Every structure is written in structure tokens, then in C-alpha cells.
């Protein structure tokens, strides 16, 4: 199944490199990627390729982060965008934009700090019921609502130019992404995904239940702390560059789990599904109102809203 998902990602990436104001044939894309000269090749290498790779890397990071939190909470709604981590990272980024100079380094650091503080708040508020189950998700939703209100207040108190930029960025967008924006985030995401791969076996054992994990020698609390740190950093890295892209982290792990037919939520199918979903959503965002390119968050929110209604209906029928 992983190989099939990889082929889907590669196919969507090829379409993303071909698509634009002028269609480029696959042969022309190949020439551009192998270093041939030409004006259209510069467009493919310098404009389209960073955007496509950003969709792949950011989608994989969000899918992996969603798998982490859904495994920890053992709840299909326990994803970073539902429990407030996206909103917390966005709060940190807003503070960097409105209080500081808003440099890329400040955005990245503030997003990570905002996400970590939000995760700590959700954990402490739900400590009476542990780190799994419905309690953490409900408290996370409440924290998310509070932070969303705070973010709106910050935007309303900002200068007009800053507010317009912040509102547009809040939609989650890959428009205008270039190599300067993604080189460092790509390196960070690569390191985080390698760290997550090292922890993946223990994470899957913990997803099968605390008793099973303990009997196989897994130390649950240190493992959960490491996984939360990795998941928050994945989410915050994406938010610092593209804004909070909603619902990819919610839908990708569950779709990946069903495609793989695996117990728990394996990270690799979730990451590949996240990459495919974000690539597909970005292509739709570019095509829907062409030549105007919509923020990808508009499309991912629409897809995620439909998925969330289906998930809630399924849970209600089960009960």
C-alpha cells in the first residue's frame, strides 16, 4: 500500500509541475529537472518545483503529526488542528508579526513555542483524565476556541496592512512559496520524520493499549513526551511557512489506516496520504478560479469538513 500511495504522490507531483498558466508537457518537466536551459524551465524549477515539494513535505508532516496525536489519544478526532495546536502555533506567529519584526527565524521559533505552550496547557487541563480519550479532545476543542478568539483580537488590534496579511496567511496558503521559504523547513521536517520513524515501532505498540505497551518494555510517559514534541514541531514548522492548513492532520491518518488495513495508525501511510491530500487540494485551489489561485486551506477545510461530518455521523451510529 505504501508503494501505491507513493505512486499517487509522484503522479500528483508531476501534474503540479506541468500545470500553470501555460501547460508544460512531462517531457519539458523532465528537461527542466535535469538542468536543460530555457525560460519555461526556469518557471518549472524556480516557481512550480518549490510549491510542489512544499505540498509533499508539509502534507507528510501534517499527516505524521496527526498520526502521532491520534495514536496518543486513541481518538480519530485527536489531531493538532482540532485540539488547538494549529491555533497556538498561529498565536505565536501573530505575536512575532505584530510585536517583533516578523523575520522567518522569529516566525519559526514563535510558532514552535506557541504550539508547545498550547500542548502543555491541554495536557495540564486534561491531566485528571490522562492523555487519552475523549477528555483531552474536548478540552483541546475548548482551548482551540479560546485561542481562535485571541487570534481574532490580535488581528483586529493590528495595523491594517499587518491585519490583511495575517488574515490571508491564516487561510493556509502555498501561493508564492519559493526556495528561500522552504529550504530550512525541509531540513527540519526531514529530521523530525527520521526521529518519528525511529519511534514508530514503540508508538504503534502504545496505540494498542497501555497494558500491551508496558508488557513489551515501552516506557509510556517518556515516549509520549517525545512524540508530542515531534508532533508539535511538525505542525509549527508548517504553520510558520504556510499558515495553519486545516484538516489534513485530521483526515490523513484515518484514510491511511484504512488503506493500509493496519491496527493502530501507522505513520508512513498517514504521511503519504497527507502528502497526496495536500498536493491534490493545492491543484484544486489553483484550478478552481483560475487564473486566481485560492489558498489551499480553503480547499482542505472544505474536504475536511465533509470528512468530519462523515466521521461524526459514523460515531453516532456506533453509539
Amino acid at each position: 500500500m505504501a508503494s501505491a500511495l507513493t505512486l499517487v504522490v509522484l503522479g500528483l507531483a508531476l501534474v503540479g509541475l506541468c500545470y500553470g498558466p501555460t501547460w508544460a508537457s512531462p517531457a519539458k518537466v523532465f528537461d527542466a529537472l535535469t538542468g536543460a536551459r530555457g525560460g519555461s524551465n526556469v518557471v518549472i524549477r524556480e516557481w512550480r518545483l518549490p510549491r510542489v515539494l512544499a505540498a509533499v513535505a508539509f502534507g507528510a508532516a501534517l499527516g505524521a503529526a496527526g498520526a502521532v496525536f491520534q495514536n496518543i489519544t486513541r481518538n480519530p478526532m485527536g489531531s493538532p488542528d482540532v485540539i488547538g495546536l494549529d491555533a497556538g502555533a498561529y498565536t505565536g506567529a501573530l505575536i512575532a508579526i505584530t510585536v517583533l519584526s516578523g523575520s522567518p527565524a522569529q516566525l519559526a521559533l514563535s510558532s514552535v513555542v506557541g504550539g508547545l505552550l498550547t500542548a502543555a496547557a491541554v495536557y495540564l487541563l486534561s491531566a485528571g483524565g490522562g492523555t487519552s480519550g475523549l477528555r483531552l479532545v474536548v478540552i483541546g476543542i475548548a482551548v482551540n476556541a479560546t485561542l481562535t478568539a485571541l487570534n481574532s483580537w490580535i488581528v483586529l488590534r493590528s495595523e491594517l496592512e499587518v491585519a490583511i496579511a495575517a488574515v490571508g496567511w491564516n487561510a493556509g496558503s502555498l501561493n508564492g512559496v519559493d526556495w528561500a521559504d522552504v529550504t530550512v523547513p525541509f531540513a527540519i521536517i526531514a529530521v523530525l520524520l527520521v526521529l518519528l520513524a525511529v519511534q514508530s515501532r514503540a508508538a504503534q505498540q502504545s496505540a494498542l493499549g497501555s497494558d500491551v505497551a508496558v508488557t513489551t518494555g515501552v516506557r509510556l510517559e517518556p515516549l509520549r513526551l517525545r512524540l508530542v514534541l515531534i508532533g508539535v514541531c511538525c505542525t509549527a514548522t508548517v504553520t510558520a511557512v504556510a499558515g495553519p492548513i486545516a484538516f489534513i492532520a485530521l483526515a490523513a491518518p484515518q484514510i491511511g489506516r484504512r488503506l493500509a488495513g493496519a491496527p493502530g495508525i501507522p505513520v508512513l501511510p498517514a504521511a503519504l496520504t497527507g502528502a497526496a491530500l495536500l498536493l491534490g487540494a493545492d491543484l484544486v485551489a489553483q484550478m478552481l478560479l483560475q487564473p486566481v489561485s485560492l489558498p489551499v486551506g480553503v480547499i482542505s477545510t472544505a474536504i475536511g469538513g465533509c470528512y468530519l461530518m462523515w466521521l461524526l455521523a459514523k460515531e453516532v451510529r456506533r453509539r
Side-chain angles (χ1 to χ4, degrees):
M1 184 52 65
S3 58
L5 284 170
T6 301
L7 288 175
V8 171
V9 171
L10 291 175
L12 289 170
L14 178 59
V15 175
L17 291 173
C18 293
Y19 181 79
T22 58
W23 177 265
S25 67
K28 187 172 288 186
V29 168
F30 179 78
D31 288 342
L33 297 181
T34 53
R37 296 184 179 275
S40 61
N41 294 343
V42 172
V43 170
I44 292 170
R45 288 198 301 263
E46 301 300 324
W47 296 356
R48 298 182 190 175
L49 185 58
R51 181 174 188 146
V52 167
L53 292 181
V56 172
F58 294 169
L62 291 174
V68 164
F69 286 100
Q70 290 180 19
N71 275 326
I72 290 174
T73 62
R74 302 181 67 189
N75 190 306
M77 290 185 62
S79 69
D81 43 357
V82 173
I83 63 175
L85 302 188
D86 276 11
Y90 181 49
T91 303
L94 280 177
I95 292 173
I97 292 172
T98 56
V99 177
L100 306 174
S101 61
S103 67
Q106 291 172 347
L107 280 174
L109 181 59
S110 298
S111 296
V112 171
V113 171
L116 288 174
L117 290 176
T118 304
V122 173
Y123 178 85
L124 291 174
L125 290 171
S126 61
T131 57
S132 62
L134 187 62
R135 177 184 175 89
L136 185 144
V137 173
V138 171
I139 289 175
I141 291 172
V143 171
N144 188 16
T146 303
L147 288 173
T148 300
L150 175 62
N151 292 342
S152 298
W153 180 80
I154 293 173
V155 170
L156 289 172
R157 297 283 296 178
S158 303
E159 296 180 0
L160 181 59
E161 295 81 3
V162 174
I164 292 173
V167 169
W169 187 57
N170 184 41
S173 177
L174 298 177
N175 297 340
V177 169
D178 59 23
W179 289 116
D181 298 318
V182 298
T183 303
V184 174
F186 282 177
I188 294 172
I189 288 171
V191 171
L192 292 172
L193 291 181
V194 169
L195 292 174
L196 191 55
V198 172
Q199 307 286 334
S200 61
R201 181 179 176 83
Q204 275 197 274
Q205 290 173 335
S206 69
L208 298 176
S210 300
D211 295 336
V212 174
V214 171
T215 56
T216 56
V218 175
R219 298 176 59 198
L220 283 178
E221 289 307 317
L223 173 66
R224 285 171 176 163
L225 178 60
R226 291 194 297 271
L227 292 175
V228 166
L229 289 174
I230 293 171
V232 170
C233 289
C234 282
T235 301
T237 302
V238 175
T239 302
V241 179
I245 300 175
F247 288 111
I248 298 295
L250 174 69
Q254 293 297 316
I255 296 172
R257 180 179 69 85
R258 285 169 170 79
L259 291 175
I265 303 174
V267 173
L268 180 58
L272 291 173
T273 303
L277 285 177
L278 191 54
L279 270 170
D282 190 46
L283 282 170
V284 174
Q286 294 179 65
M287 296 175 181
L288 198 60
L289 295 178
Q290 60 176 327
V292 176
S293 184
L294 291 173
V296 67
V298 173
I299 306 301
S300 68
T301 299
I303 296 171
C306 295
Y307 169 80
L308 185 57
M309 287 188 289
W310 172 82
L311 180 63
L312 291 173
K314 182 180 178 182
E315 291 295 318
V316 168
R317 286 197 301 269
R318 181 181 299 175
R319 294 177 187 277

